Amino acid sequence: MKALGHVFKYGDNVDTDVIIPARYLNSFDAQELASHAMADIDPEFVNKVQQGDLIVANKNFGCGSSREHAPLCLKTAGVSCVIAETFARIFYRNAINIGLPIIECPEAAKGIEAGDEVEVDFDSGKIYNRTKGTEFQGQPFPEFMQKLIAAGGLVKYTNSKRRY
């Protein structure tokens, strides 16, 4: 599994309230939620993000309220992976549950800038900054997590294993 795209860069403590503001949580439609992704921190995000793009952030990405909506709206908007120095624990789990790949890698978070073209190899954990010609070593995803992500998240994976 790989991700390849251009980077949107954010700082420390990007909380779920700016990833998907609470005023938009009156919908359960993933496309509707995605149309408001990052609205309070980057109002042009939804107009600029392309399928496969990545988010890179500093410390504590996804802090704040425990909302599954936050990783869901990013994934639906086209984000293929989030790389950060660290993630809030509940965001980390919610991202895996809905099938959004995330990688902690402080060196990559510091060495990648907005607009850089970045490739992530989930098997090896390698992060390649194609723009700068640099490489970082993140934590590879265990096989079971890759299966969850490939299936589209925990619920879809579990449903695919059900016997009728």
Side-chain angles (χ1 to χ4, degrees):
M1 289 176 48
K2 292 188 179 191
L4 174 64
H6 290 94
V7 168
F8 290 83
K9 181 81 181 259
Y10 303 101
D12 291 334
N13 301 313
V14 175
D15 68 44
T16 56
D17 289 324
V18 298
I19 296 170
I20 182 66
R23 65 187 175 275
Y24 301 116
L25 295 178
N26 56 354
S27 173
F28 292 103
D29 179 78
Q31 290 295 332
E32 176 65 21
L33 293 170
S35 73
H36 303 291
M38 308 303 276
D40 286 352
I41 193 171
D42 186 354
E44 287 301 307
F45 176 82
V46 295
N47 298 322
K48 296 185 287 186
V49 68
Q50 300 292 314
Q51 193 67 38
D53 284 347
L54 297 93
I55 288 177
V56 174
N58 294 336
K59 295 176 185 161
N60 204 26
F61 188 87
C63 59
S65 302
S66 171
R67 332 193 144 124
E68 195 173 78
H69 304 81
L72 178 63
C73 80
L74 295 177
K75 179 182 174 185
T76 306
V79 173
S80 64
C81 183
V82 180
I83 301 167
E85 285 186 50
T86 60
F87 291 92
R89 183 181 64 215
I90 294 174
F91 180 89
Y92 188 95
R93 187 61 204 178
N94 283 338
I96 298 304
N97 283 349
I98 63 97
L100 175 66
I102 57 176
I103 296 180
E104 287 187 345
C105 186
E107 298 79 17
K110 291 175 183 153
I112 296 172
E113 297 177 29
D116 287 354
E117 184 180 50
V118 172
E119 179 181 350
V120 179
D121 182 325
F122 299 125
D123 294 327
S124 67
K126 295 219 184 279
I127 302 165
Y128 306 96
N129 185 330
R130 291 183 167 187
T131 301
K132 294 181 178 174
T134 54
E135 181 180 309
F136 307 95
Q137 182 62 58
Q139 194 70 13
F141 283 6
E143 185 179 343
F144 79 92
M145 286 177 70
Q146 289 191 43
K147 288 179 181 178
L148 288 178
I149 291 165
L154 180 62
V155 171
K156 289 181 180 179
Y157 175 80
T158 302
N159 286 339
S160 75
K161 299 297 178 194
R162 291 178 73 187
R163 296 179 189 201
Y164 296 96

